[in-house]
Amino acid sequence: MHDLLRGRLSVVVAAAGYGKTTAVRQWLRDTGEQALVVDDVSADHLPSPQRRPDRLVLLSRRPIPVAALLRYDLGAPIEIGPRQLALSPRQVAVLLAGQYGVDNQDTAASVHALTAGWPALVHLAAAHVVSAGVSEPSTELLSQPDNPLHDYVCAEVLDDLTPDALELLAQLPVVGTVSAELTADIGEGRLGAQIGLLARLGLLLPENGRHRAVPLIAAIAAARHPVPPTRRAAFVALVADWHRDHDRLVDALRLATAAGDRTRCADLLRDHGADLLATGAGSGIVAAAAVLPDVLRDPAIDLIHADALQATGRTRAAIAAYARLTGGADSLPAGLAWRYGAALYLWGDPNDALAVLRRGRSGGDSDPDTALLLAWTSAAHWLAGDEAECTAFAGKAVEAARATGDQRALAAAHVALALCADLTGDPVGLRAHYSRALEFAEGAGDTAQVLRIRVNLAAGLEQEGRLIEALAVLHPAVDLARSAGYDSSLALALANQGSLLHSLGRLDEALACYHEAVRVYERMHSMKVAYPLTGLGDVHRLRGQPAQAKAAYTEALRAAVRDGHHRQSMVPALCGLARVAAATDQEEAAVLADRAVEHAHGRWVTTALVARAWVAWQRGASDDVRRDARAAAEVAAVHRDRGGLARALEVEAAATDDPAAARELLREALSIWTESRAVLEADRIRVALGRIAGDHGDLRLNGRLAGSRLAAAGVADMPPTRPGAPGRVEIRVLGGFTVLVDGRRLPARAWQSRKARDLLRVLVARRGAPVPREELADLLWGRTAPAERQKVAHRLAVALSTLRTVLDPDRLGPADHFVLSSQQDIAVDLGVLDVDVEDLFAQAQYGVRLRERGEFADAWAVLTAADRAYTGEVFADDPYTDWARPLREEARAAHLRILRTLVDLAQRAGEVDDVVHYLLRILSVDPFDEQSHRDLVANLSEAGRHGEASRAFERYAEAMREIGVLPREVLGVTRHPAR
């Protein structure tokens, strides 16, 4: 308001209730400005020009002619209108929550939409919503007579308008939007003159060069001042014809339908049906056709009606409509045959589609419908997995399309060639043909084919691991399908978008896409609902929700086989079910996996073989795993299916006994997922790499970090432990001694022998170094006479056997899996044991290296996790054992190094609180660390926290006095305590 009212003469013009007076009063109060404000003025009752202040603000319910304003000689007047006074959606939400207790964003959005933010209407609508106890306000509810809102609009707004203005408002609920050009052309100039006036008052809202009414105002005006039906029909007919003549066919059809003008509807459908459908008016065509009596229908109208049903996702109705048009004939015109066959194809039934497509007859070399018939026949063979027939018909389609030169036919032919490339594993050809197809489809203005091509092209890019590119291709398709009302394309695009978001680690967004795709497909009764259902199953399995995963996969499989076998959606559902079943019923899992392999074709062979390999891995059949994994990798290479190749490498690594070979396989899989930016899959591989026996370094730490990220993302599907292998053993010595097997803490009774427990403690304290048997005997039983050494050696052997039994009670691994031994010495294998202090050392080294490489964020994550892991000194429950002292001191030093590096990182980030926190942690461990004392004082002083700095300096001085050192000045803080 300040910017708008800074001129010497301002005029605030709007209808009653826009808050003109309130806004100006608030402006004066907030700014302290001085102005003469004259409220409720009109052109006939203006203040005298002789009384001319330095600044004048006029408030009016009607526009004031500029000539009348220029008499004040205050410069050019500035007009402030209703759009500057209206409340924004956010302001409406705040008002409803604060003043009316309506804390519902959807309710607030509805109130704003109905009132356009008109302040008085917002208040009245909110009060009515509260009194009526509704959460979804509507035009019908708020415009009812005998409520305060209705009465206010009639008395304060409508009664002040001319009859022409009232008639225009009353016509708008049917007409929708108007422009001065429209009303001038149809001979309604007297109404056209009202548009500018009503817009300046805030009753009409600008919209793309046209105007629409505030919904509540139009509804109340139509009810209060009804237009006679004949006059309304005549006006609507004129407007509809104007839209038709100006190529606004969608508006023309909408108006003709709303007016119940059946003849105009029939003419528009017959003459312009294809154009209407191409511009996304499928729903409008369906609505218009529904009002036509049989006498006005003909085959051309019935055909465009069937096309509209198909485009808007009413597939069953479309198929029925096409079937009626065939009349049961064995031979069909090419145009009807390809449309009918395409509907069956898009519904997901290749066999029925082919049966119809074969009934089509050629219309000659120059007939585009013939080329389209051949192209859709090729596509149906692709859906059936028949490579030879797909290729043959694609070639014929290209020849026919080139003969016609029709862009729509050329687009369909290149789609057929792209599908052939998909079956034969030619991704370069696939992209090239889809690119050409997209050019032709866009040139023809064929929205349906543009959508189909974008969806398929994105799927091809996803297969190559080019996820970001695929998402960029697909996103416009989702928007276009949604705005154009192409439900079948929308559902498929959403399912594919969900798959991409899933791969990119955006699981919640993926779930939203899958759920919406399921809703759209279910509305269509399409078996293709199996696609998003399988996606839902994949997310649930990833999140460790097997019951929900199984339910989704089962429903997907049921949809895929409901009317025959839709192999493309059946195979991934079978694979998902097999993976879930493998944990509880390996026999059922094997049957499901075999079915998947049996029905798989093209790139789906990789998916099926990988699933069967995981099932075989679950039952420990390593040879079968390697066979299927390698076969899957070969198929993936042919189809350039990078994701499939990575999955094949992962399962082969799981079945590989050689740690070095497994590591190489997983590293290659990791590089694929990393390049694809599939963050969750990449982290799963990092976890698997970290679990490989014999690795204590960065791979193990990276695996731990990746596991933390996966847990934060809600992912529970970690690479599992090999079936039949010993459980995971974790040894904790920080803060006290504890052993966990498969996550369960061993009770005291599990040890059977205290000496076995002590043996493990000593071996861990030696950090995997071999300890001579004699030394162990002395540590555990004390020095003994030579004559007793044989007995002690036997006791040590018993303790060793007991220890091995405790760590591997089911004897799943070899005897020396966890504890290595020879005639001379014994050692623990730190490559297969998880020891918390060893992790601490590794994390400290890794974090420092990351900091030295400038990877500060990762260094902070590693070192803060290491700090949290330091829960106390080594063997804190037995602090006086000499054999533990070296490890205890080393762990303390590593922890101090972690803390000092965290101080450095916090200083770099300018996080003073973190700097202080970690310096205090250092001083709690080493109270005589002079540099940490000085750093603490300096940081507090630089942050302006002088009281804390002074107290820190006193603590520093006191600590130095205890060891006979004189404290030095720190940033001018020189208060020394009395000695």
Side-chain angles (χ1 to χ4, degrees):
M1 274 307 261
H2 177 69
D3 290 339
L4 294 170
L5 290 167
R6 62 187 175 184
R8 295 187 64 195
L9 176 57
S10 300
V11 185
V12 185
V13 178
Y18 261 104
K20 301 181 290 295
T21 306
T22 301
V24 172
R25 183 180 290 122
Q26 187 66 45
W27 165 66
L28 292 171
R29 185 182 300 119
D30 291 346
T31 64
E33 301 273 359
Q34 297 292 317
L36 174 62
V37 179
V38 185
D39 202 352
D40 202 20
V41 301
S42 66
D44 299 330
H45 298 88
L46 290 172
S48 170
Q50 282 73 34
R51 186 185 174 193
R52 189 176 62 193
D54 290 337
R55 179 178 289 178
L56 177 62
V57 181
L58 304 177
L59 283 58
S60 177
R61 296 187 183 188
R62 287 275 183 170
I64 301 173
V66 174
L69 296 172
L70 291 177
R71 293 184 301 154
Y72 291 101
D73 196 22
L74 292 174
I78 296 174
E79 182 171 312
I80 297 150
R83 289 304 90 209
Q84 287 81 41
L85 299 168
L87 302 175
S88 69
R90 176 173 174 75
Q91 289 171 320
V92 170
V94 171
L95 186 150
L96 262 63
Q99 295 192 33
Y100 296 94
V102 180
D103 193 11
N104 184 312
Q105 295 296 320
D106 292 337
T107 302
S110 296
V111 169
H112 183 272
L114 294 171
T115 63
W118 191 323
L121 301 192
V122 170
H123 279 282
L124 291 165
H128 194 51
V129 164
V130 172
S131 65
V134 299
S135 59
E136 297 182 8
S138 63
T139 305
E140 292 73 19
L141 172 72
L142 298 179
S143 63
Q144 291 174 352
D146 301 326
N147 76 65
L149 192 153
H150 177 276
D151 296 344
Y152 180 87
V153 170
C154 291
E156 298 294 332
V157 180
L158 300 183
D159 289 353
D160 198 35
L161 298 179
T162 65
D164 286 344
L166 286 170
E167 181 178 344
L168 179 59
L169 282 174
Q171 295 277 25
L172 285 178
V174 176
V175 173
T177 61
V178 292
S179 65
E181 179 190 11
L182 183 154
T183 53
D185 287 353
I186 65 175
E188 296 283 341
R190 62 186 181 81
L191 296 184
Q194 302 300 319
I195 293 176
L197 169 65
L198 295 176
R200 289 176 75 182
L201 296 181
L203 281 72
L204 295 186
L205 308 172
E207 187 178 87
N208 299 323
R210 301 157 84 181
H211 288 86
R212 64 179 177 88
V214 174
L216 276 178
I217 297 294
I220 294 172
R224 179 74 179 275
H225 302 280
V227 179
T230 54
R231 181 166 180 77
R232 179 184 293 279
F235 182 70
V236 171
L238 285 171
V239 175
D241 288 345
W242 184 87
H243 282 302
R244 180 198 61 203
D245 296 341
H246 287 75
D247 292 326
R248 300 178 184 270
L249 298 174
V250 176
D251 285 329
L253 184 63
R254 175 181 57 80
L255 290 169
T257 304
D261 191 335
R262 298 170 178 177
T263 302
R264 273 188 173 77
C265 286
D267 290 343
L268 285 165
L269 293 180
R270 186 181 300 107
D271 299 338
H272 304 285
D275 294 331
L276 282 162
L277 192 60
T279 55
S283 295
I285 293 171
V286 172
V291 305
L292 296 182
D294 290 342
V295 69
L296 289 176
R297 301 183 75 101
D298 58 32
I301 291 176
D302 288 339
L303 184 61
I304 199 64
H305 180 212
D307 289 348
L309 289 168
Q310 173 59 27
T312 54
R314 299 166 173 88
T315 308
R316 282 187 182 274
I319 290 171
Y322 288 128
R324 284 194 299 272
L325 282 166
T326 68
D330 291 334
S331 178
L332 304 176
L336 175 57
W338 76 255
R339 286 176 169 87
Y340 188 7
L344 291 165
Y345 163 90
L346 293 171
W347 196 35
D349 191 332
N351 296 321
D352 284 355
L354 286 168
V356 168
L357 291 164
R358 292 186 184 113
R359 292 159 63 188
R361 61 176 181 269
S362 172
D365 293 340
S366 60
D367 179 26
D369 282 331
T370 298
L372 287 160
L373 175 65
L374 293 166
W376 281 105
T377 303
S378 173
H381 283 297
W382 169 81
L383 190 59
D386 190 333
E387 179 183 326
E389 289 296 290
C390 177
T391 303
F393 276 96
K396 295 175 184 177
V398 170
E399 291 180 10
R402 286 173 178 167
T404 67
D406 181 80
Q407 288 191 311
R408 187 183 190 190
L410 285 165
H414 278 281
V415 169
L417 289 172
L419 294 175
C420 292
D422 177 66
L423 277 183
T424 58
D426 178 13
V428 175
L430 180 144
R431 289 198 307 276
H433 288 304
Y434 273 136
S435 296
R436 292 288 290 146
L438 189 58
E439 291 176 15
F440 287 126
E442 288 176 338
D446 189 339
T447 302
Q449 283 212 85
V450 168
L451 291 169
R452 181 185 177 209
I453 293 162
R454 281 193 173 275
V455 169
N456 290 358
L457 180 56
L461 290 168
E462 180 182 10
Q463 185 175 327
E464 292 184 60
R466 298 161 65 174
L467 305 180
I468 301 298
E469 292 177 65
L471 200 58
V473 168
L474 195 58
H475 185 70
V478 173
D479 291 342
L480 177 59
R482 202 189 301 279
S483 62
Y486 281 76
D487 280 1
S488 57
S489 298
L490 174 63
L492 186 56
L494 285 167
N496 287 15
Q497 190 174 51
S499 176
L500 288 166
L501 292 168
H502 177 178
S503 297
L504 290 167
R506 295 155 62 177
L507 297 184
D508 289 334
E509 294 175 73
L511 283 174
C513 287
Y514 287 141
H515 280 301
E516 186 178 357
V518 168
R519 288 194 297 271
V520 177
Y521 272 135
E522 286 180 339
R523 189 167 65 240
M524 296 165 56
H525 303 285
S526 172
M527 65 180 69
K528 285 188 176 182
V529 72
Y531 289 136
L533 283 171
T534 300
L536 288 174
D538 290 341
V539 175
H540 288 313
R541 180 166 59 83
L542 193 64
R543 286 184 160 172
Q545 300 161 335
Q548 295 182 67
K550 183 178 180 180
Y553 289 137
T554 301
E555 191 178 352
L557 184 58
R558 190 182 302 121
V561 301
R562 185 172 56 214
D563 299 294
H565 286 72
H566 183 208
R567 293 199 290 176
Q568 285 201 359
S569 56
M570 181 174 66
V571 169
L574 284 168
C575 292
L577 269 178
R579 293 288 300 272
V580 171
T584 56
D585 189 336
Q586 294 179 9
E587 185 175 340
E588 179 191 3
V591 170
L592 291 166
D594 286 340
R595 281 182 63 193
V597 172
E598 176 189 349
H599 289 284
H601 66 274
R603 65 186 180 90
W604 293 110
V605 173
T606 298
T607 304
L609 287 170
V610 167
R612 192 167 72 176
W614 277 117
V615 171
W617 178 87
Q618 194 76 33
R619 65 175 188 271
S622 297
D623 290 342
D624 292 344
V625 175
R626 285 190 286 271
R627 181 199 66 224
D628 279 345
R630 289 166 184 170
E634 290 176 6
V635 176
V638 168
H639 289 272
R640 201 176 288 185
D641 180 0
R642 288 172 59 75
L645 176 58
R647 292 185 178 95
L649 292 169
E650 180 188 359
V651 70
E652 183 179 356
T656 300
D657 295 325
D658 180 4
R663 197 176 292 118
E664 289 308 308
L665 290 167
L666 289 173
R667 278 177 168 150
E668 186 174 356
L670 178 60
S671 71
I672 292 171
W673 292 128
T674 303
E675 290 170 12
S676 302
R677 302 188 189 180
V679 292
L680 298 182
E681 293 295 345
D683 274 344
R684 287 186 71 262
I685 299 298
R686 291 187 181 100
V687 170
L689 276 166
R691 290 183 179 177
I692 293 178
D695 187 272
H696 322 283
D698 291 358
L699 287 179
R700 193 167 191 173
L701 290 171
N702 273 328
R704 293 283 179 87
L705 285 173
S708 298
R709 287 194 295 269
L710 289 171
V715 173
D717 182 33
M718 304 291 186
T721 305
R722 180 196 301 273
R728 181 185 177 193
V729 175
E730 301 171 73
I731 300 174
R732 298 175 183 172
V733 300
L734 295 169
F737 180 68
T738 305
V739 177
L740 296 92
V741 176
D742 286 333
R744 293 186 297 274
R745 180 172 179 168
L746 286 180
R749 64 179 181 276
W751 286 100
Q752 305 173 37
S753 163
R754 180 175 176 80
K755 294 302 181 183
R757 182 174 180 272
D758 289 343
L759 172 60
L760 179 60
R761 282 155 38 96
V762 172
L763 295 174
V764 169
R766 294 299 177 90
R767 303 195 57 197
V771 185
R773 286 177 178 261
E774 289 185 7
E775 183 179 351
L776 286 170
D778 290 344
L779 288 171
L780 295 173
W781 286 279
R783 291 187 178 276
T784 57
E788 297 292 321
R789 288 197 178 274
Q790 188 70 25
K791 288 183 180 179
V792 173
H794 177 70
R795 290 174 187 164
L796 179 60
V798 171
L800 174 60
S801 177
T802 301
L803 173 58
R804 284 170 166 167
T805 300
V806 168
L807 299 182
D808 185 11
D810 296 325
R811 305 292 181 110
L812 297 175
D816 61 351
H817 182 74
F818 292 115
V819 185
L820 310 172
S821 66
S822 69
Q823 293 291 333
Q824 291 77 35
D825 46 45
I826 302 174
V828 289
D829 186 351
L830 294 179
V832 294
L833 289 168
D834 287 330
V835 182
D836 60 354
V837 72
E838 296 297 334
D839 288 341
L840 181 80
F841 295 145
Q843 285 178 295
Q845 294 172 358
Y846 187 42
V848 170
R849 283 202 305 276
L850 288 170
R851 181 250 172 271
E852 291 170 350
R853 295 203 300 256
E855 299 175 31
F856 302 123
D858 286 344
W860 179 267
V862 170
L863 294 173
T864 52
D867 176 45
R868 288 193 299 271
Y870 188 81
T871 54
E873 291 197 334
V874 171
F875 298 121
D877 52 351
D878 191 4
Y880 304 112
T881 49
D882 289 339
W883 50 262
R885 185 176 295 114
L887 181 62
R888 186 178 292 124
E889 293 297 330
E890 192 173 356
R892 185 186 295 123
H895 185 222
L896 285 171
R897 187 181 187 192
I898 289 166
L899 294 172
R900 290 185 180 113
T901 309
L902 285 170
V903 168
D904 174 70
L905 291 168
Q907 285 178 322
R908 284 182 170 277
E911 298 291 344
V912 176
D913 287 340
D914 286 334
V915 171
V916 171
H917 170 73
Y918 286 112
L919 284 171
L920 289 172
R921 294 281 306 283
I922 292 171
L923 293 171
S924 70
V925 177
D926 183 0
F928 304 110
D929 184 334
E930 181 179 11
Q931 187 58 52
S932 293
H933 275 295
R934 292 174 56 77
D935 289 343
L936 178 60
V937 175
N939 277 278
L940 288 169
S941 181
E942 288 176 358
R945 295 157 65 169
H946 301 296
E948 294 177 72
S950 179
R951 290 189 291 275
F953 187 88
E954 289 175 2
R955 290 192 298 272
Y956 160 44
E958 185 66 26
M960 295 302 99
R961 187 178 67 174
E962 287 187 34
I963 59 175
V965 176
L966 184 67
R968 293 173 289 165
E969 178 179 338
V970 183
L971 292 177
V973 181
T974 57
R975 291 180 57 203
H976 299 281
R979 293 182 180 273

